[in-house]
Amino acid sequence: QVQLVESGGGLVQPGGSLRLSCAASGLLFEIYTMAWFRQAPGKEREFVAFMSRSSSFTYYADSVKGRFTISRDNSKNTADLQMNSLKPEDTAVYYCAARSNAPSRFANDYDHWGQGTQVTVSS
């Protein structure tokens, strides 16, 4: 049974940082593209970032480029999202996702999802 478990969310002031982590189990982690998406209240789920299986290719949404960094450790089956210079508009539930194919920005292309972790940016 595939499980993706996110952690690291919380409340942070504007300009602050958070690091989200996704722990994967029940899958051959190294063959999966890993991605992060987010969903704010009343909005559709949106793409944040992905990293290819070999870590050779990363891609970010324009809204987070230069502030967020995705990483993965295939030896530990984890994928992280370092978020710096956080803004109130970054407030959302953040989801980890895995896809056993080429990277994609589209949520429907992903096979497995975590339960999400809340990130709130507010003073």
Side-chain angles (χ1 to χ4, degrees):
Q1 180 182 354
V2 176
Q3 277 194 315
L4 301 178
V5 180
E6 301 96 337
S7 61
L11 173 64
V12 64
Q13 291 187 343
S17 298
L18 279 176
R19 187 176 184 90
L20 306 183
S21 186
C22 173
S25 60
L27 75 172
L28 193 59
F29 185 78
E30 57 263 34
I31 71 168
Y32 280 79
T33 290
M34 297 302 297
W36 288 91
F37 289 79
R38 66 187 183 186
Q39 188 166 18
K43 294 188 176 181
E44 293 188 353
R45 192 168 297 191
E46 66 171 354
F47 168 77
V48 174
F50 67 59
M51 174 170 272
S52 63
R53 58 189 71 176
S54 63
S55 304
S56 60
F57 182 38
T58 58
Y59 186 81
Y60 297 91
D62 287 343
S63 58
V64 307
K65 201 172 296 182
R67 300 188 298 121
F68 290 12
T69 302
I70 188 171
S71 61
R72 65 187 293 164
D73 186 337
N74 287 352
S75 69
K76 297 181 179 178
N77 287 10
T78 57
D80 291 353
L81 185 70
Q82 177 66 42
M83 306 186 296
N84 298 330
S85 303
L86 283 161
K87 305 175 181 180
E89 52 263 43
D90 294 318
T91 295
V93 177
Y94 283 71
Y95 297 90
C96 172
R99 180 172 194 246
S100 60
N101 213 316
S104 169
R105 296 182 290 114
F106 302 103
N108 287 343
D109 289 340
Y110 283 79
D111 307 306
H112 307 290
W113 292 85
Q115 82 290 348
T117 186
Q118 176 70 47
V119 171
T120 302
V121 185
S122 175
S123 55

